[in-house]
Amino acid sequence: MGENHNQTNHQIFIDGLSRNGSRCFDDDGRVKRTGSLWTASAHIITAVIGSGVLSLAWAIAQLGWIAGPIVMLLFSIVTYYTSSLLTECYRTCDPVSGKRNYTYTHAVGSILGGYKVKICGFIQYLNLFGVSIGYTIAASMSMMTIRRSNCLHYSEGKKPCHMSSNPYMVIFGVSEILLSQIPDFDQLWWLSILAAVMSFTYSTIGLALGIAKVVGIGTFRGSLTGISIGTVTQAQKIWGSFRALGDIAFAYSFSMILIEIQDTLKSPPAEAKTMRKATRLSIAVTTVFYMLCGCMGYASFGDSAPENLLTGFGNPFWLVDIANAAIVIHLVGAYQVFCQPIFTFIEKWAAQRWPESKIITKEFEIPVPIRGYRPYKLNLFRSVWRTVFVMLTTLISMLLPFFSDVVGILGALGFWPLTVYFPVEMYIEQKKISKWSSRWICLKTLSLACLMISIVAATGSIAGVILHLKVYKPFKTTY
């Protein structure tokens, strides 16, 4: 009784501080947020410029010089527009003083409610789970490429240098188990900035190698319509084009964590205003890099562009090794950025389900032997659950090591519902846009068009997985 009374007084004290503009607490009673335009941009770039950039040259090869860049530009415009709509939904009713929504699913529940929040939560967390698998596959491929390029170089091409991806997936999984013990997004800012720097590093190297190869051969390879029928069958051409749409959609996917990133921002200015700027800056930078890397990769290899761009370059081997090392470091950080919403959701659910369990709620303070650092708070449930999650994603990655197909399925799965449908529906509800008004019709038309794109992209990627499974042996994939 006395304890409850003290907790009530403590909450009243916090609420009073936050209402009076405390330096320590925000308007929701939580510790004051410190995120800025630059940290939000770093989080977005870390999430967006990931393994997706490596498959863009292959995607353009399927579509050709005309359709490839146009499709990429359209995806960037749609992603920016719908992300701008989503930034308006961080606070319910009013974008400046309304009730905060801490996660994407909370925003859907607060604004749309009903069964839609359950559908959204399922799709969001399934997509984030899939992204963690895709990143594990991509990181292992880059580590394997480093090993293989060194093997080929020192053997002067005399050894075939075939190797399994499994040990490298295990190495990546172990590193993620350690980093997953970081409690939340606010404490990941340094990892996001490091990962963003790495993304620029390998993208720049890939671009430079592409330019050097084009200069070396003296011409731009490729064709206006992409890989020709004859080189592949008509069915392969169609499925490849559909998969390319999924790959490009995946390359721009970050909407499912936008609200979580926005929740790290300090105010004033209003979080929506800062987030719009961060989104505009990040997508502009990303699109320039994507266009350069994708187009120069296609110009270098033409219709034979590999699914992973950096696996196509042999020399200088040390520079290719640096690029692949940068990819691994970047994906280590990106994995954490994408998985934090899943971690947070399960941990909050468990705390609400078993509030009396000390295994779930009790935290042990462990001193950090670095001056100025607060003690690390160890929670047994958090440590075990996050370790099991990483182990599961690593195991599935070993079972399904099909990089381009997995990327395409993830892009198709997440693009329409998370990047387009829910942001559009929430914005319509939030702004009370009249049914059948010109703006309502335009938003609904955009949503329907993106649904069609997602369906054909998913169809192509699933067809690719089925083709691979016909000759696939579990845990015995070598390159």
Side-chain angles (χ1 to χ4, degrees):
M1 185 82 176
E3 184 180 345
N4 290 336
H5 180 70
N6 290 335
Q7 288 176 347
T8 302
N9 288 338
H10 178 66
Q11 185 60 47
I12 292 171
F13 173 69
I14 289 177
D15 291 344
L17 283 174
S18 57
R19 280 194 298 271
N20 291 304
S22 166
R23 294 180 183 178
C24 301
F25 299 97
D26 275 325
D27 56 4
D28 59 348
R30 294 195 175 189
V31 175
K32 205 161 188 69
R33 294 158 177 84
T34 58
S36 65
L37 168 66
W38 303 110
T39 59
S41 298
H43 281 313
I44 295 171
I45 290 172
T46 299
V48 178
I49 302 183
S51 57
V53 72
L54 304 176
S55 64
L56 290 178
W58 178 87
I60 294 177
Q62 310 310 304
L63 301 170
W65 277 117
I66 297 176
I70 290 174
V71 168
M72 206 181 299
L73 186 61
L74 287 175
F75 269 101
S76 70
I77 292 170
V78 169
T79 302
Y80 169 66
Y81 179 69
T82 56
S83 296
S84 297
L85 301 183
L86 188 56
T87 61
E88 298 290 334
C89 303
Y90 171 63
R91 290 179 181 265
T92 303
C93 297
D94 188 278
V96 176
S97 59
K99 179 181 174 293
R100 294 175 187 261
N101 296 304
Y102 303 116
T103 67
Y104 192 108
T105 309
H106 283 168
V108 174
S110 176
I111 297 170
L112 299 178
Y115 69 93
K116 289 184 179 179
V117 66
K118 294 182 179 179
I119 295 173
C120 171
F122 176 77
I123 294 172
Q124 182 192 13
Y125 295 124
L126 179 63
N127 191 261
L128 292 173
F129 181 73
V131 167
S132 66
I133 294 170
Y135 281 2
T136 303
I137 296 170
S140 69
M141 288 179 68
S142 289
M143 286 188 275
M144 202 163 45
T145 301
I146 295 172
R147 178 75 183 277
R148 191 163 185 271
S149 69
N150 282 276
C151 173
L152 291 171
H153 176 76
Y154 290 114
S155 69
E156 297 180 348
K158 294 176 182 177
K159 294 181 179 179
C161 297
H162 294 305
M163 56 193 69
S164 171
S165 59
N166 292 342
Y168 302 98
M169 291 186 185
V170 172
I171 292 170
F172 184 80
V174 170
S175 68
E176 293 302 340
I177 286 173
L178 296 174
L179 287 170
S180 67
Q181 306 310 314
I182 298 173
D184 52 45
F185 252 133
D186 275 341
Q187 296 174 37
L188 280 174
W189 64 268
W190 61 272
L191 188 59
S192 282
I193 291 174
L194 174 63
V197 171
M198 291 298 104
S199 69
F200 282 116
T201 300
Y202 69 72
S203 298
T204 303
I205 291 174
L207 174 61
L209 290 171
I211 293 172
K213 187 161 185 175
V214 169
V215 171
I217 61 179
T219 185
F220 278 66
R221 290 176 174 170
S223 61
L224 295 180
T225 57
I227 190 167
S228 58
I229 297 173
T231 307
V232 295
T233 65
Q234 185 172 5
Q236 288 174 327
K237 170 70 174 177
I238 293 171
W239 294 132
S241 298
F242 288 174
R243 283 171 59 197
L245 295 176
D247 283 11
I248 295 172
F250 177 77
Y252 280 103
S253 62
F254 80 98
S255 296
M256 72 287 287
I257 58 170
L258 185 145
I259 296 292
E260 283 85 343
I261 294 173
Q262 193 167 344
D263 190 46
T264 67
L265 295 176
K266 61 186 176 184
S267 62
E271 300 88 355
K273 184 177 180 181
T274 304
M275 199 64 192
R276 276 197 303 273
K277 289 181 180 178
T279 303
R280 183 166 59 245
L281 173 64
S282 303
I283 292 182
V285 170
T286 299
T287 302
V288 170
F289 263 83
Y290 280 2
M291 284 288 190
L292 290 172
C293 292
C295 291
M296 292 311 299
Y298 182 45
S300 302
F301 296 101
D303 293 343
S304 61
E307 293 186 5
N308 183 331
L309 178 62
L310 288 173
T311 60
F313 296 108
N315 288 302
F317 81 100
W318 57 269
L319 188 58
V320 176
D321 287 353
I322 291 173
N324 278 293
I327 290 172
V328 174
I329 295 171
H330 173 260
L331 293 178
V332 165
Y335 184 103
Q336 290 300 316
V337 170
F338 273 96
C339 290
Q340 282 293 326
I342 302 179
F343 295 157
T344 302
F345 171 75
I346 294 296
E347 287 154 19
K348 285 184 177 178
W349 172 82
Q352 291 170 358
R353 180 72 176 79
W354 298 286
E356 304 299 324
S357 173
K358 291 187 177 181
I359 293 176
I360 292 173
T361 59
K362 187 173 177 60
E363 292 186 333
F364 302 91
E365 289 195 352
I366 300 175
V368 178
I370 301 175
R371 188 175 181 181
Y373 278 77
R374 291 175 293 177
Y376 173 74
K377 294 182 178 180
L378 174 67
N379 176 277
L380 292 178
F381 173 75
R382 181 173 64 218
S383 297
V384 173
W385 139 244
R386 295 188 180 193
T387 299
V388 170
F389 175 88
V390 176
M391 290 172 67
L392 181 60
T393 59
T394 304
L395 179 64
I396 295 175
S397 300
M398 292 178 181
L399 286 169
L400 294 171
F402 315 131
F403 175 66
S404 183
D405 296 319
V406 170
V407 162
I409 291 173
L410 293 173
L413 176 67
F415 177 68
W416 176 71
L418 299 177
T419 302
V420 181
Y421 175 75
F422 284 115
V424 165
E425 293 298 312
M426 285 192 288
Y427 185 78
I428 288 173
E429 182 66 27
Q430 184 95 312
K431 298 297 182 181
K432 306 298 180 188
I433 297 173
S434 302
K435 198 172 185 179
W436 301 114
S437 65
S438 58
R439 191 164 195 192
W440 185 91
I441 292 171
C442 289
L443 288 170
K444 289 289 187 177
T445 302
L446 171 66
S447 182
L448 182 61
C450 291
L451 172 60
M452 295 297 104
I453 292 172
S454 287
I455 290 172
V456 298
T459 304
S461 297
I462 291 169
V465 169
I466 291 171
L467 289 172
H468 276 110
L469 286 174
K470 289 180 179 179
V471 295
Y472 167 67
K473 294 180 180 179
F475 300 109
K476 293 185 178 180
T477 302
T478 58
Y479 295 88

